[in-house]
Amino acid sequence: MAAAGGDVDSALAADAARPSRREQILRAAAQLFAERGARSVGVDDVGAAIGVTGPAIYRHFASKDAMLAEMLEGISERLLAGGRERVAAAGDDPAAQLRALVAFQVDFALDNPALITVHDRDLGSLAPEHAARVRRLQRRYVEVWVDVLARLLPEEGTAASRARAHAVFGLVNSTPHSAGRLSRERTAALLAAMAEAAATA
């Protein structure tokens, strides 16, 4: 499942144009996991996708489960760091901060549909300690949104702000099912407008 704006999920490489071998493995694994489910993909399948033997994969990852853990923990870390950076760069206005967060989430969703699919379907396949770390990171990312929304709509309270944040994620992260039907630019603009409206309705 290719991203609307590129061939592979961009969040799996520090330099999307020149991924390391480890990052190439994660990208291939993400695509295969998204297409078939992590349980149906073997290490040899991942190796074949990038033109190496299965044993070569073990120089970088101890197992398929290790790939999945690094994949999902890594994107959770990037979302948290990216969300915080966007809020800081937007200044003190919560409306501007919300727009920055929405734009960030939309870009992530459009550029990383395989990761979204893998997360939705295979998070439960992680070992408990890895799944717990992913969920902790995700809760911290949600709280970045909650803080902004609570300042933008102070009369509503934290619980309502959290519900709004989750509603926006559900809307924006539906893109793996619809990407490619419009241009990336039109899709991004449409999603951003809908997400901002949903967040503040």
Side-chain angles (χ1 to χ4, degrees), residues 123-145:
L123 178 59
S125 298
L126 283 179
E129 64 272 21
H130 295 297
R133 173 166 168 73
V134 169
R135 291 190 176 100
R136 281 195 302 273
L137 289 164
Q138 290 175 339
R139 283 194 295 271
R140 289 163 67 188
Y141 179 56
V142 170
E143 292 310 305
V144 173
W145 285 71

Side-chain angles (χ1 to χ4, degrees), residues 22-183:
R22 188 179 188 86
E23 290 166 342
Q24 289 174 356
I25 292 168
L26 286 177
R27 284 180 164 191
Q31 293 299 119
L32 291 171
F33 292 173
E35 291 166 7
R36 306 182 202 170
R39 292 177 181 173
S40 300
V41 176
V43 171
D44 288 340
D45 298 321
V46 177
I50 59 171
V52 302
T53 61
I57 301 291
Y58 291 113
R59 297 193 196 110
H60 300 276
F61 295 96
S63 66
K64 180 181 67 176
D65 290 343
M67 290 181 220
L68 181 62
E70 182 164 325
M71 189 184 302
L72 296 184
E73 288 181 20
I75 63 168
S76 299
E77 290 167 352
R78 290 186 73 156
L79 280 169
L80 177 59
R84 287 172 169 171
E85 288 170 5
R86 298 313 188 279
V87 168
D92 296 328
D93 178 14
Q97 292 173 343
L98 177 62
R99 287 192 297 274
L101 282 173
V102 166
F104 173 62
Q105 186 68 35
V106 166
D107 282 342
F108 183 88
L110 290 178
D111 292 340
N112 299 282
L115 286 174
I116 291 171
T117 300
V118 172
H119 174 273
D120 287 348
R121 186 171 55 206
D122 294 314
L123 178 59
S125 298
L126 283 179
E129 64 272 21
H130 295 297
R133 173 166 168 73
V134 169
R135 291 190 176 100
R136 281 195 302 273
L137 289 164
Q138 290 175 339
R139 283 194 295 271
R140 289 163 67 188
Y141 179 56
V142 170
E143 292 310 305
V144 173
W145 285 71
V146 170
D147 179 64
V148 170
L149 288 166
R151 286 185 293 110
L152 186 63
L153 302 164
E155 70 282 2
E156 290 217 344
T158 301
S161 295
R162 190 170 292 113
R164 287 175 181 274
H166 283 289
V168 170
F169 298 150
L171 187 159
V172 174
N173 290 348
S174 68
T175 54
H177 307 293
S178 59
R181 297 180 186 179
L182 297 173
S183 70

